[in-house]
Amino acid sequence: SPMWTLNPVYCTNVTIRGVTVETKGPNTDGCDPDSCTDVWIKDCTFSNGDDCIAVKSGRDHDGRRVNIPSENIVIQDCRFAAGHGGVTMGSETAGGIRNVFAERCHFDSADLDMAMRFKTNPARGGYVEDIYIRDCTVKTAKFGIHMTLRYGSGGRRDGDSPPVMRNIDIRNSTFGTLTKGPIFIEGYSAGNKITDVTIADCQFTAAKQPVAVTNAAGIKLINVRQGER
């Protein structure tokens, strides 16, 4: 595909199962449910030039006009190799993203930038909330968990529609060799923070950079271990 490969838009009751997507080049996402409800993605393999799975909900002004969220999305037993993000929320968040559940996924590539990725900015609007990820294995990636409200889409990080990012729970997962950082959480400003993130019962074996958290509140690291077991 020259761009997004699997891209259901405004759909309900979608099953994507047993699919392998291998792409290269800019914007070659693997699977992007966009403003969809009740989506099941299972037993799929992705190696992409951009995000592997990216949940979206409309872009900027047009997305806010249509105002359809992506919700009730389940991702199970998928494998991720190369890509910008493995399981990704955004960056198009105008209609809102909520109730996403990912479990038993495996991430393994030095060419995977961010295993679990959350991205948007004040031009996007909307929200990312109630996201649950558990029982995943990240063998190799650059970042383990990466969240930002300052995503530079097309070089743009500012706008008049600040999004909300909150209520994210990641647990019971292991992270092996990370060539950059284990956890990166970056709100936009003191008045536009990422809030209420819980990372629990996770093991980070090796990372070159420390945990970095700015412009965020209610960040809980519970039984999070760094270094060798």
Side-chain angles (χ1 to χ4, degrees):
S1 171
M3 198 175 164
W4 301 348
T5 307
L6 304 174
N7 180 214
V9 180
Y10 309 152
C11 294
T12 301
N13 299 333
V14 177
T15 297
I16 298 172
R17 186 169 186 172
V19 175
T20 296
V21 180
E22 296 182 2
T23 62
K24 293 182 179 180
N27 295 316
T28 52
D29 292 14
C31 179
D32 292 1
D34 195 338
S35 295
C36 292
T37 298
D38 300 337
V39 178
W40 186 29
I41 305 171
K42 181 173 173 61
D43 296 323
C44 293
T45 299
F46 298 94
S47 184
N48 303 116
D50 206 317
D51 294 322
C52 295
I53 294 176
V55 181
K56 302 177 180 294
S57 63
R59 180 165 177 165
D60 302 354
H61 174 74
D62 184 64
R64 292 189 291 275
R65 177 186 62 83
V66 176
N67 195 31
I68 298 176
S70 272
E71 58 186 349
N72 307 335
I73 295 173
V74 177
I75 301 165
Q76 294 176 315
D77 304 301
C78 291
R79 302 181 66 87
F80 304 95
H84 289 180
V87 173
T88 300
M89 307 298 133
S91 66
E92 292 84 351
T93 59
I97 297 169
R98 64 190 174 204
N99 300 337
V100 179
F101 304 85
E103 63 180 357
R104 301 190 305 272
C105 292
H106 185 81
F107 308 75
D108 183 13
S109 175
D111 294 322
L112 179 61
D113 288 348
M114 306 155 201
M116 304 170 188
R117 187 183 195 190
F118 304 76
K119 55 174 180 171
T120 184
N121 65 37
R124 296 297 198 211
Y127 55 84
V128 177
E129 64 183 18
D130 301 331
I131 313 297
Y132 304 91
I133 302 175
R134 67 183 183 185
D135 300 329
C136 291
T137 301
V138 180
K139 186 175 180 181
T140 307
K142 294 177 182 176
F143 284 95
I145 300 167
H146 194 284
M147 305 179 185
T148 182
L149 294 180
R150 300 181 64 85
Y151 175 66
S153 175
R156 185 178 183 185
R157 289 184 172 86
D158 302 310
D160 56 4
S161 298
V164 171
M165 189 177 292
R166 64 188 176 191
N167 299 339
I168 298 167
D169 188 289
I170 300 170
R171 61 182 61 231
N172 297 328
S173 297
T174 59
F175 298 78
T177 300
L178 303 173
T179 58
K180 291 189 176 180
I183 300 169
F184 181 92
I185 300 174
E186 175 189 47
Y188 183 77
S189 65
N192 186 196
K193 297 179 177 180
I194 295 173
T195 62
D196 301 315
V197 175
T198 298
I199 301 170
D201 301 316
C202 291
Q203 168 75 30
F204 295 86
T205 301
K208 290 186 176 181
Q209 300 173 9
V211 172
V213 178
T214 57
N215 293 323
I219 309 301
K220 299 178 182 178
L221 305 183
I222 302 171
N223 193 26
V224 170
R225 303 173 300 280
Q226 296 190 59
E228 298 295 335
R229 288 182 181 274

